[in-house]
């Protein structure tokens, strides 16, 4: 997308105002995609606060998303969510100290992404193209991806001497059997239910981590591995 925008710059027909707007959009896009850039110059507290805000937004949207999902699946949708299913990641953040818990938040975000993607693909076949659910699922994916970037950035800044978080290796497409429509509806509901619970846990964790990490110290800029 940025390539597209760049290609438009040489066209002299674009007015100055449009150019200014374009460059602002470009900066905003780069800023949101590459959290690493914004990461450096922020204090611990405001840094975590930014992620807390994003988490709160995704959490609120995930509550609605689950409702919209259920409303789009027809009868029995309440039952779908109660079915036991073991291929969906659990939402629990684990770890003994703040660094482990940050890593757990990061890897949970990453692990849920391919599941959200798979649900989106399945629902694309089940819903009319105009269904807002498809937009909502896509939004949840890119916001979660943005949150993972921010968490990664905070992690590297708070713990400059620990190894950089690894990407989780397996995606659900490689390990999951094919699913019939009923199984897809159950799977989607459980993914979104656990996703909502995950966001609730991340909200709580970020509050705790902020209290533990930001009170008595500021960022160790000089040690950071950027
Ligand atoms: C779902 O999508 C609709 C239309 O695109 C939008 O108005 C609404 O805010 C979205 N809701 C959530 C929870 O993302
Ligand atoms: C997640 O945490 C809840 C509440 O603490 C607990 O009941 C549940 O068993 C945990 N689930 C997993 C998979 O660890």
């Amino acid at each position: 997308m940025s390539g597209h925008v760049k290609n438009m710059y040489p066209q002299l027909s674009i007015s100055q105002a449009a150019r200014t707007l374009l460059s602002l959009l470009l900066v905003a896009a780069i800023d949101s995609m590459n959290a690493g850039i914004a990461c450096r110059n922020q204090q611990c507290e405001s840094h975590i606060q930014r992620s807390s805000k994003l988490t709160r937004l995704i959490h609120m949207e995930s509550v609605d998303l689950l409702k919209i999902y259920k409303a789009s699946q027809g009868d029995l949708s309440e039952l779908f969510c109660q079915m036991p299913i073991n291929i969906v990641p659990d939402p629990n953040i684990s770890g003994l100290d703040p660094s482990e818990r940050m890593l757990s938040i990061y890897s949970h975000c990453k692990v849920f992404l391919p599941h959200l993607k798979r649900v989106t693909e399945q629902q694309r076949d089940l819903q009319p193209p105009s269904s807002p659910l498809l937009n909502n699922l896509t939004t949840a994916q890119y916001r979660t991806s943005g949150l993972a970037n921010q968490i990664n950035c905070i992690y590297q800044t708070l713990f400059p001497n620990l190894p950089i978080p690894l990407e989780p290796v397996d995606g659900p497409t490689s390990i999951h059997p094919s699913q019939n429509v009923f199984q897809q509806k159950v799977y989607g509901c459980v993914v979104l239910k656990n996703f909502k619970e995950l966001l609730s846990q991340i909200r709580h964790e970020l509050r705790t981590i902020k209290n533990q990490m930001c009170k008595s110290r500021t960022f160790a800029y000089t040690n950071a591995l950027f």
Side-chain angles (χ1 to χ4, degrees):
M1 184 199 144
S2 59
H4 177 65
V5 172
K6 262 184 217 149
N7 289 340
M8 294 170 74
Y9 271 90
Q11 291 177 14
L12 296 172
S13 57
I14 297 178
S15 73
Q16 187 60 40
R19 277 194 215 191
T20 309
L21 182 61
L22 272 179
S23 50
L24 283 177
L25 287 175
L26 196 59
V27 167
I30 290 169
D31 189 46
S32 66
M33 280 184 312
N34 191 351
I37 291 174
C39 190
R40 282 189 231 184
N41 301 317
Q42 289 181 14
Q43 297 294 313
C44 183
E45 196 138 358
S46 63
H47 204 31
I48 296 185
Q49 220 133 36
R50 184 161 159 253
S51 295
S52 293
K53 251 168 95 174
L54 180 56
T55 305
R56 195 162 61 233
L57 173 67
I58 308 174
H59 181 230
M60 280 168 6
E61 288 183 343
S62 73
V63 174
D64 286 341
L65 183 53
L66 184 58
K67 283 186 199 146
I68 296 168
Y69 179 90
K70 285 182 184 172
S72 332
Q73 307 307 309
D75 297 336
L76 300 177
S77 61
E78 272 306 326
L79 271 179
F80 294 151
C81 286
Q82 314 301 329
M83 308 280 291
I85 183 166
N86 60 6
I87 53 174
V88 177
D90 83 79
N92 292 0
I93 301 301
S94 59
L96 295 177
D97 60 33
S99 70
E100 287 178 6
R101 301 183 85 79
M102 283 296 281
L103 269 190
S104 178
I105 293 174
Y106 174 76
S107 61
H108 270 81
C109 288
K110 285 287 191 183
V111 160
F112 268 81
L113 275 175
H115 288 275
L116 290 172
K117 183 156 180 268
R118 189 167 196 222
V119 173
T120 310
E121 281 160 6
Q122 291 174 339
Q123 290 295 317
R124 195 166 281 132
D125 294 336
L126 297 176
Q127 303 296 327
S130 60
S131 164
L133 177 63
L134 300 175
N135 271 334
N136 295 152
L137 283 165
T138 309
T139 305
Q141 278 178 66
Y142 76 70
R143 290 212 212 282
T144 305
S145 171
L147 180 62
N149 287 342
Q150 288 187 11
I151 297 293
N152 187 355
C153 163
I154 297 174
Y155 177 85
Q156 291 184 45
T157 315
L158 285 179
F159 310 106
N161 300 319
L162 294 179
I164 293 171
L166 294 172
E167 302 284 318
V169 279
D170 49 4
T173 37
S174 57
I175 51 172
H176 286 187
S178 63
Q179 297 166 323
N180 64 33
V181 169
F182 176 75
Q183 289 167 330
Q184 289 178 12
K185 289 182 173 187
V186 170
Y187 168 72
C189 203
V190 177
V191 167
L192 295 182
K193 190 178 73 167
N194 286 11
F195 179 65
K196 183 187 79 162
E197 173 58 25
L198 171 67
L199 269 302
S200 156
Q201 294 209 13
I202 297 178
R203 278 180 80 165
H204 172 77
E205 286 299 332
L206 288 179
R207 265 197 302 272
T208 311
I209 289 168
K210 192 177 82 184
N211 290 336
Q212 286 174 333
M213 301 298 300
C214 301
K215 288 300 177 219
S216 58
R217 50 172 287 192
T218 50
F219 265 159
Y221 299 113
T222 45
N223 292 334
L225 295 173
F226 292 112

